[in-house]
Structures are given as C-alpha cells and as structure tokens.
Amino acid sequence: MDLYKAVLLGVLFSAVSAGVLDEYAKTEGARIMSILKREYSVGTVLECAIKCNAETAFTCRSFIYIEKDQECLTIPANTKTEHVLRRTSTALYEKKVYLMECVNGIGMDYRGTKSKTKSGKTCQRWASKYPHNPNMTPSTHPNADLESNFCRNPDGDSKGPWCYTRDPETRWETCNVQDCSVSAGVLDEYAKTEGARIMSILKREYSVGTVLECAIKCNAETAFTCRSFIYIEKDQECLTIPANTKTEHVLRRTSTALYEKKVYLMECVNGIGMDYRGTKSKTKSGKTCQRWASKYPHNPNMTPSTHPNADLESNFCRNPDGDSKGPWCYTRDPETRWETCNVQDCSASKPPTVVELTCSTGDGVAYRGTVAVTTSGKACQAWAAQTPQKHNRTPDNYPSNGLDLNYCRNPDNERMPWCYTTDPETRWEYCKVPSCGDVPGPASKPPTVVEELTCSTGDGVAYRGTVAVTTSGKACQAWAAQTPQKHNRTPDNYPSNGLDLNYCRNPDNERMPWCYTTDPETRWEYCKVPSCGDVPGPASKPPTVVELTCSTGDGVAYRGTVAVTTSGKACQAWAAQTPQKHNRTPDNYPSNGLDLNYCRNPDNERMPWCYTTDPETRWEYCKVPSCGDVPGPGSVMSSHGQSYHCYADDTQLLFSSPPPF
C-alpha cells in the first residue's frame, strides 16, 4: 500500500511539474540585476521554476539559475524593465506571459508594459489618487498585477485593457494593445542580434512602445522591402531597413538590437524556390545576373513593376514566374538572355561537393581544418550555439560552408577565416590558419587547435597543465564524471577546452582555472596553477577611475551636479521609474556614478544626458561645464596664483587638489 501511495504521489508530482518550464523563455548566458530578489539553493532548474511560481514575497516574473553553483534567484523584474548583463555561467528564465505585448480575447491576462492609451495619454499609476481617485487599485484587485501604470483589464471590460489617465480631463481610456491572433509568430520570422546595428541611407523611423510593434511596422512597410529592423529600447525608436547583414557591415552599439527576416538570410531553396530571397547573383555557368530593373543588355518581361512581390530589386536570382527549374535571372552576357542559378536545395541530405582544404588559400572560404582559436587566443564558439554570441551564421542558414563544431570558417566572404568567440566581450575575431603554401602534403601533422600552455596567462583559458587540486586542497572531479557533482561542463559540450581527466581548466571564462571537487559539500573551487609570469593575475589592482566635476571628451567621467537638460527640463532620478521607465539604473550601471538625478553618460553617448521628468520627453542631453584642455601628467596648472599638481596612477589622470575650472 505504501509503495502504491509513493508511486501515485510520484505520478501526481510529475503531472504538476510537467510543462512548468514551458511557461518560461530561456536566455543562456544572461542575467538581470534587481535589488529585490530571493535566493534559494536548489538541485535542478525545475525546482527553481517551482520556487518562482510559489513566490509570496513579490510577483515573480523571472528567475536566474546558476547550474555551476546550484543557485536560484527569483526576481520581480524581467528584460522588459531591466538591463541584460552577460555572464556565461547563468541562465535567465522569464515568464512568457509577462513578455507578451498582445492580448488574448479581452486581455484580462495581459501583463505587458504598454502605458499609453489609444489617444496617446500617459497612464496614471493604479496605486495613485491623482489626478483621479480610482475604484480599482492593487488592494481591491490583488491578482490583477496593478503594480505600476501599465494598461490592464481588472474588471473584464469588453474593449480590452485600459487605464486611468494623467489627464485631469480624461478619467480613463482603453489602450491600443495588439491582438495575439494577429501578431502570433511575428517575431519568430526574425533572427535577433543583441548590441548590433547596420548603416543604411534608406530607412524609415518610427516611435513605438515595443519590439513587436517595430516588427509589425517592418512587415507593413510600403516605402521599400523591409529586410530588417533596429529596435532601440532607450529611445523607444524603430528603424525599418531594406538591407541586412548579408549586404551591409555590422556595427556594434550596446543599446540596440538588430532583427533580420530569416527568409532573406537563407541561401537555399524550398521546392522550386519562389520564396528564395538569398543573394546569389551568378548563373550555373558563372554568368553575372542583370539587374531586374535594367533594360540592358536584355529587355526583360519580368520587372519590379510587373512582379512587385517577387523581390526583384537587385540582380539576385529569383523565380517570379514559378519556373520548374528554380531561381534564374537575365544575364549580362548579350548572347545569353537568361539562365537558371545553381542554388542549394534546403532539404538536400548532402550538400554539393566542395574542395575541402585543411590549409587556407586566398580568403580561406574552402578551409575545413580544425583550428578553433582566434589570433588573440580566444576560444571559438560553436557555430550551432547561440551563447554567448547570438547570430545567424548557423549550419542551417549556411549548409555548404562547413560550419562544424567551433572550427574557424569563412561563410560570408570575409578576408580570412574567423569565428564568434566564447568571450562575451568579444563578438568575433579572425583566426590564424595555416596557409597552403606553408604546409606539406596530407600526411603532415594537423594544425594545433590551441597553443597549449602548462602555465597560466590572463584568465588561464589556454592552460593545459596537470594541476588537479583546488586552492583549499580538494581533489578535482573528472570532467567526464557526473558524481558527486552533476554538471554540463563536459568534454562533449566543450570539445576545444582541454577537459582531460580531472585537470584544472577554465572552459567558461571565469577569472582563473577551476574544477568541480570530489567533496559532495563543495561543488567547485578555483585552482592555483603556475603563472607564466608575463601577464598580471586577476588580483592585480584595477585602474583608478577618474571622477571630474567638469566634462572632457564624451563626459563619461563627469561626476558634477548639473541636473537639468539643454532645454531646461528637470532630470529624473536614475533610480526612479516614473515618468520614464528604463534600465539605466544605479544597479545596472554601478560604476557610472548614477547618483540622484545628475546628468551622466553611462552608455557612451556623445555627451552627458538624463531622462526627464516631462512625460512627453523621454531624455535629452545636458550642458555641463567643459574642463577645457587638461595638461598632461606631472604638469602644474596655475589660476589666480594657486598651483594644482596632477599625477598619473595606473595610466588614469588624478588631481591632488580640485582643479580650478
């Protein structure tokens, strides 16, 4: 009987917990900062999800699971309100219901962040009594998520989510929230790259509230064929663009996210390829394609005007008329009017034969060797992985480019092979692969994947010595073993990180080599491995930060007390979330001096700025005093007979007395 009860309880528990994780969206290698949180020690990610669902201290919208430490943090915030920080050893799980910016039915379960009505009025906080004294508050409707000023539908209004407004003349108004049945799957059509943007002369700018609204703008664009869009959360700005990363160079900017339509990234065809939107522009015999809008050397029957939905904007191979042989083009050869193109079939089990070299010729497009480290010594990220670098150069999108494991390749015609790196701070770098002119025949020794060091430099990623004991003297557990510590840092998951036997290693960019221990009470510890002597260890003194009450350059070091914008608007406190909701908070930017409401430059704008207390103006630049020309180290500045000495400390300029500016 007891056995029967145990089995029954086990089945019931499985039924309850099954699907719990399906309620969450997972982001590997990410975390968010929050003052309000609860910490738990758990054995699995499922236990952490159950803790979040059962949280009573606050409404849990996300949790962070640190597998390495078996640590669980439940959090009331998510990425819609807080800045995302990169950390390879963590995983962020967010409740999907709080990420959705659309409604099902009348939207009683809507938990998005829209805070303006359909006429553009700013919503009043539900807990506030000004300018309107509300009937519905967090205390009267505790389960309706009335914690801020976001649009909600606590009373089941048939018109959907609404809010009390900050306009004294308008007590309440409905909000224009997108219907999920219309927007379902919209963002799934796009490949996202955080911290990236592309430059395009041709673009359209829109003011939007969410990334979903931006995607809908791109899909509905009439000025051109929209292939990608840029969403800037800080400015709530949307840029629709006719180009993508296959035709334009990628620029780095931390405050933006680039979304590209997947259909325009694929270089293969489904069926006869009427939906092919790749960039192949040569026929199967090697002839260059004529632009579809051109009348020379051939006067075409099919043009952008006759087939407006066929993407005939350039000279790329297309199939506007459903030719059974697949994509084709008019050619620039006067003797050949048109010819089919040799585009790979997406469903083909075997890609076309490519000359595969273990050494590099020219730009290294045909290189298929096993070098998996960059010129600066950083380990390469697997092409199929999306952490720490999220990208679209995947084996599925580039099936013929040999994107195996994490080997250096050149899928997009760069000047030499390259790879995304496992360093969150370095998106990609070139690789130094052997040149075919320097390599003997096939019987020669294959290239070394990593310069294997028996001493440690920097963070010790390249260390391949045989130390197998931690700093406290505990024996290391073998990386391939799962007892006593269960983990995912295995040789199979990290094939290029030298996880041999139980030797100390640094597969995940910690500050120094480490290992799991054989002590059941201690999950992991750092190791003391010999230093090569040429690079300071992690304990070296960090550079002193310059704090100035006047501005030099872009004003990143400015720590003065100006708190008004160039147009005279008062600055909002950085720790506040009204009237502007944002993620440039003191917690997220702890080293940027975000004190009170003083003008600062935490994100490398061209000068100090601040969010404003005017609900209609999100942010503006500030006019802060300039330091002028600061003399070099060791010089003496004089003003009104007083001398002020300055000196250098760790290459940063410091003042021994306040400078007389």
Side-chain angles (χ1 to χ4, degrees):
M1 191 65 178
D2 289 340
L3 178 60
Y4 171 77
K5 287 181 179 178
V7 171
L8 181 60
L9 286 172
V11 171
L12 288 172
F13 178 77
S14 297
V16 171
S17 60
V20 170
L21 288 175
D22 291 338
E23 300 172 10
Y24 292 84
K26 178 184 178 184
T27 307
E28 280 284 1
R31 69 179 298 153
I32 54 178
M33 299 297 290
S34 177
I35 295 175
L36 188 58
K37 61 180 179 286
R38 293 290 295 274
E39 298 185 19
Y40 301 96
S41 178
V42 297
T44 67
V45 67
L46 178 59
E47 290 178 44
C48 195
I50 293 170
K51 290 286 188 186
C52 184
N53 288 353
E55 188 59 75
T56 57
F58 45 73
T59 301
C60 182
R61 294 176 175 84
S62 66
F63 68 85
I64 294 169
Y65 179 61
I66 309 170
E67 188 274 339
K68 185 174 172 182
D69 298 324
Q70 294 188 314
E71 185 180 355
C72 170
L73 305 177
T74 59
I75 303 171
N78 61 17
T79 55
K80 299 186 75 174
T81 57
E82 302 296 337
H83 186 65
V84 180
L85 304 176
R86 310 311 304 172
R87 186 179 174 192
T88 55
S89 58
T90 68
L92 173 66
Y93 291 78
E94 302 173 88
K95 282 189 178 176
K96 293 176 182 176
V97 66
Y98 290 104
L99 296 176
M100 291 177 65
E101 279 300 341
C102 58
V103 295
N104 294 298
I106 59 173
M108 288 190 71
D109 63 347
Y110 172 69
R111 296 296 183 268
T113 56
K114 187 175 283 292
S115 58
K116 286 186 181 292
T117 68
K118 62 182 179 181
S119 68
K121 293 181 172 65
T122 300
C123 293
Q124 173 184 311
R125 291 182 67 87
W126 293 94
S128 175
K129 294 185 178 181
Y130 180 82
H132 306 289
N133 193 355
N135 300 51
M136 301 182 196
T137 66
S139 57
T140 64
H141 292 72
N143 298 319
D145 194 49
L146 306 183
E147 291 182 10
S148 186
N149 70 329
F150 302 137
C151 300
R152 293 291 183 262
N153 193 0
D155 59 343
D157 191 287
S158 61
K159 294 180 181 178
W162 58 277
C163 68
Y164 297 105
T165 83
R166 294 183 61 184
D167 177 359
E169 304 300 317
T170 306
R171 180 169 171 80
W172 69 274
E173 193 174 45
T174 55
C175 304
N176 188 25
V177 184
Q178 180 73 28
D179 190 327
C180 292
S181 62
V182 175
S183 61
V186 170
L187 287 175
D188 291 339
E189 300 171 10
Y190 292 84
K192 178 185 178 182
T193 307
E194 281 282 1
R197 68 179 300 153
I198 54 178
M199 298 299 292
S200 177
I201 296 175
L202 188 58
K203 61 179 178 288
R204 292 289 296 274
E205 298 186 19
Y206 300 95
S207 178
V208 297
T210 68
V211 66
L212 177 60
E213 290 177 42
C214 195
I216 292 169
K217 291 286 187 187
C218 184
N219 288 353
E221 188 59 75
T222 57
F224 44 74
T225 300
C226 182
R227 294 177 176 84
S228 66
F229 68 86
I230 294 168
Y231 179 61
I232 309 169
E233 186 276 337
K234 176 180 169 184
D235 301 323
Q236 294 186 314
E237 185 179 356
C238 169
L239 305 178
T240 58
I241 304 172
N244 61 17
T245 54
K246 299 187 76 173
T247 57
E248 301 294 335
H249 187 65
V250 180
L251 304 176
R252 311 310 308 165
R253 187 180 175 191
T254 55
S255 58
T256 67
L258 173 65
Y259 291 78
E260 301 175 88
K261 282 189 178 176
K262 294 175 183 176
V263 67
Y264 290 103
L265 297 175
M266 292 178 65
E267 278 301 342
C268 58
V269 295
N270 294 298
I272 59 174
M274 289 190 71
D275 63 347
Y276 172 68
R277 295 296 183 268
T279 55
K280 189 176 282 290
S281 58
K282 287 187 181 291
T283 68
K284 62 182 179 181
S285 69
K287 292 182 172 65
T288 301
C289 293
Q290 173 185 311
R291 292 182 66 86
W292 292 94
S294 175
K295 295 185 177 181
Y296 180 82
H298 306 289
N299 194 355
N301 300 15
M302 301 184 195
T303 66
S305 57
T306 63
H307 291 72
N309 298 319
D311 194 49
L312 306 183
E313 291 184 11
S314 187
N315 71 327
F316 302 136
C317 299
R318 294 290 183 262
N319 193 0
D321 58 345
D323 191 286
S324 61
K325 295 180 181 177
W328 58 277
C329 68
Y330 297 105
T331 83
R332 293 181 62 183
D333 177 359
E335 304 301 317
T336 306
R337 180 170 171 78
W338 70 276
E339 193 173 45
T340 56
C341 304
N342 188 24
V343 184
Q344 171 74 20
D345 188 337
C346 294
S347 62
S349 58
K350 185 178 178 181
T353 303
V354 178
V355 180
E356 298 194 347
L357 302 174
T358 56
C359 53
S360 177
T361 62
D363 57 9
V365 167
Y367 172 72
R368 295 296 182 271
T370 56
V371 171
V373 65
T374 70
T375 51
S376 71
K378 291 181 172 65
C380 292
Q381 174 181 310
W383 295 98
Q386 290 294 316
T387 54
Q389 316 300 342
K390 196 165 183 69
H391 64 94
N392 54 41
R393 268 63 173 179
T394 63
D396 288 338
N397 289 340
Y398 292 77
S400 305
N401 292 91
L403 303 186
D404 306 313
L405 300 178
N406 65 333
Y407 302 140
C408 299
R409 294 291 184 261
N410 189 3
D412 51 359
N413 299 297
E414 281 282 349
R415 60 186 179 89
M416 60 195 293
W418 60 278
C419 71
Y420 294 105
T421 84
T422 55
D423 176 2
E425 305 303 317
T426 305
R427 184 163 172 78
W428 70 276
E429 284 186 342
Y430 289 115
C431 303
K432 187 175 182 181
V433 301
S435 168
C436 292
D438 304 330
V439 178
S444 63
K445 182 181 177 182
T448 301
V449 174
V450 181
E451 182 185 358
E452 300 193 342
L453 302 173
T454 56
C455 54
S456 177
T457 63
D459 57 10
V461 168
Y463 172 71
R464 294 298 182 270
T466 56
V467 172
V469 66
T470 70
T471 51
S472 70
K474 291 181 172 65
C476 292
Q477 174 181 308
W479 295 98
Q482 289 295 315
T483 54
Q485 315 301 342
K486 195 168 182 67
H487 64 96
N488 56 28
R489 267 68 171 179
T490 63
D492 288 339
N493 291 339
Y494 293 77
S496 303
N497 292 92
L499 303 185
D500 306 314
L501 301 178
N502 66 333
Y503 301 141
C504 299
R505 294 291 184 261
N506 189 4
D508 53 358
N509 297 293
E510 281 281 351
R511 60 186 181 90
M512 60 196 294
W514 60 278
C515 71
Y516 294 105
T517 83
T518 55
D519 177 0
E521 304 302 315
T522 305
R523 185 161 172 80
W524 68 277
E525 283 187 343
Y526 290 114
C527 302
K528 186 174 182 180
V529 301
S531 171
C532 294
D534 55 348
V535 177
S540 58
K541 182 183 175 184
T544 303
V545 177
V546 185
E547 298 199 348
L548 302 174
T549 56
C550 53
S551 178
T552 63
D554 58 9
V556 167
Y558 172 71
R559 295 296 182 271
T561 56
V562 171
V564 67
T565 70
T566 51
S567 70
K569 291 181 173 65
C571 291
Q572 175 181 310
W574 295 98
Q577 291 294 317
T578 54
Q580 316 301 341
K581 195 159 188 70
H582 63 95
N583 54 37
R584 269 66 173 177
T585 63
D587 287 336
N588 290 340
Y589 293 77
S591 304
N592 292 92
L594 303 186
D595 306 314
L596 301 178
N597 66 332
Y598 301 142
C599 299
R600 294 292 183 262
N601 188 4
D603 53 358
N604 298 298
E605 283 282 350
R606 60 187 179 89
M607 60 195 294
W609 60 277
C610 70
Y611 293 105
T612 83
T613 55
D614 176 1
E616 305 304 316
T617 305
R618 186 163 171 80
W619 69 278
E620 283 187 343
Y621 289 114
C622 302
K623 187 174 182 181
V624 301
S626 171
C627 293
D629 298 321
V630 180
S635 62
V636 177
M637 299 179 289
S638 177
S639 176
H640 305 295
Q642 288 184 306
S643 294
Y644 296 86
H645 298 272
C646 58
Y647 59 93
D649 180 14
D650 292 327
T651 75
Q652 304 287 345
L653 189 64
L654 302 172
F655 294 100
S656 59
S657 299
F661 299 127

